[in-house]
Amino acid sequence: MSFLVLVRHGQSQWNKENLFTGWKDPDLTEKGEQEAISAGLALKKLGYRFDSVFTSVLLRAKKTTELMLIQLNQTSLTVIENEALNERDYGNLSGLNKDDAKIKWGEEQVMAWRRSFDIAPPEGESLKNTAERVLPYFLKNILPCLKKNQNVLVVAHGNSLRGLVMKLDKLSPEEVVKLEIHTGIPILYQVSTQGKILKKDLLQN
């Protein structure tokens, strides 16, 4: 048996400002840094140790990973970065205030882009598109670690983690668009050597 721990990065500056972020690269806020530290400390308190660590190439995820590993006293671990774990690309919405976007395109259209499974914003990705790059990366690079009894930490983003949780929890497209993944709250999976999910918990700090 091994453990897979998923963590959405701590609050970013653009989260705080209610902006569509996507592949843009803002830093963590002070609150976001504290969320990362708290997540690391909570995992340390429970005795978690990791063998492999994966994250996206975006600063907010990389910094969250760094702060967590400091708390876990595991800074010597090699962190594997890949854009397959990046947040959903919001295309032309990136950098816009979400309320301003509703004024420009209408609330119904913006909500369709945000909360549908397969409708992409202009020049961007749908949640379906995001899942289609996250899942092959997981199956090729992360799942083999779990089958070798390695404990794995994945620090990524709300939508890239939605795509992964959809697979792990066997959610339908209708269920996954309602799924909220909160910043800095570890999602804990116990995984068998066959890759089967045995148990899932949320670690509330």
Side-chain angles (χ1 to χ4, degrees):
M1 185 183 69
S2 57
F3 288 97
L4 170 65
V5 177
L6 309 180
V7 182
R8 181 184 174 190
H9 62 82
Q11 183 194 62
S12 74
Q13 189 60 44
W14 283 21
N15 291 146
K16 182 179 179 180
E17 295 173 11
N18 199 36
L19 306 178
F20 286 101
T21 310
W23 283 42
K24 300 297 184 181
D25 211 16
D27 203 346
L28 296 178
T29 61
E30 184 176 338
K31 177 183 177 182
E33 291 181 0
Q34 189 55 55
E35 287 176 334
I37 290 168
S38 296
L41 287 173
L43 289 168
K44 181 182 179 182
K45 185 177 180 180
L46 291 176
Y48 277 82
R49 303 287 292 172
F50 295 99
D51 303 293
S52 299
V53 184
F54 296 84
T55 189
S56 76
V57 303
L58 298 171
L59 177 61
R60 56 197 185 274
K62 294 194 293 182
K63 194 163 184 179
T64 298
T65 305
E66 177 187 359
L67 290 169
M68 289 182 65
L69 292 179
I70 289 172
Q71 308 313 311
L72 288 160
N73 297 321
Q74 288 201 270
T75 54
S76 61
L77 280 180
T78 299
V79 178
I80 301 168
E81 301 172 7
N82 196 287
E83 68 178 21
L85 297 175
N86 277 16
E87 175 60 295
R88 172 185 174 187
D89 183 355
Y90 276 104
N92 293 348
L93 298 182
S94 300
L96 293 180
N97 180 280
K98 293 173 183 177
D99 293 329
D100 291 343
K102 291 176 185 177
I103 294 172
K104 182 173 182 178
W105 283 288
E107 183 170 359
E108 184 176 345
Q109 178 63 74
V110 171
M111 289 307 295
W113 288 329
R114 290 187 67 193
R115 293 302 180 189
S116 64
F117 180 66
D118 55 4
I119 300 176
E123 306 299 322
E125 294 179 306
S126 65
L127 179 55
K128 180 175 183 288
N129 298 146
T130 307
E132 286 171 346
R133 61 174 161 80
V134 173
L135 294 181
Y137 183 80
F138 172 79
L139 294 173
K140 181 179 179 181
N141 298 281
I142 299 175
L143 186 59
C145 297
L146 296 167
K147 289 183 175 181
K148 293 176 185 175
N149 275 336
Q150 293 185 9
N151 295 331
V152 178
L153 173 64
V154 178
V155 181
H157 306 266
N159 285 295
S160 53
L161 292 178
R162 273 193 188 96
L164 182 50
V165 170
M166 181 182 183
K167 170 71 172 179
L168 298 175
D169 292 4
K170 299 179 181 178
L171 302 179
S172 69
E174 293 75 24
E175 290 171 324
V176 75
V177 296
K178 298 175 183 176
L179 176 66
E180 292 292 339
I181 297 180
H182 299 286
T183 54
I185 303 295
I187 305 170
L188 315 175
Y189 288 95
Q190 292 181 15
V191 185
S192 74
T193 52
Q194 290 76 41
K196 181 181 178 181
I197 302 301
L198 303 175
K199 187 179 179 182
K200 176 186 179 182
D201 291 295
L202 281 181
L203 179 55
Q204 300 290 348
N205 296 335

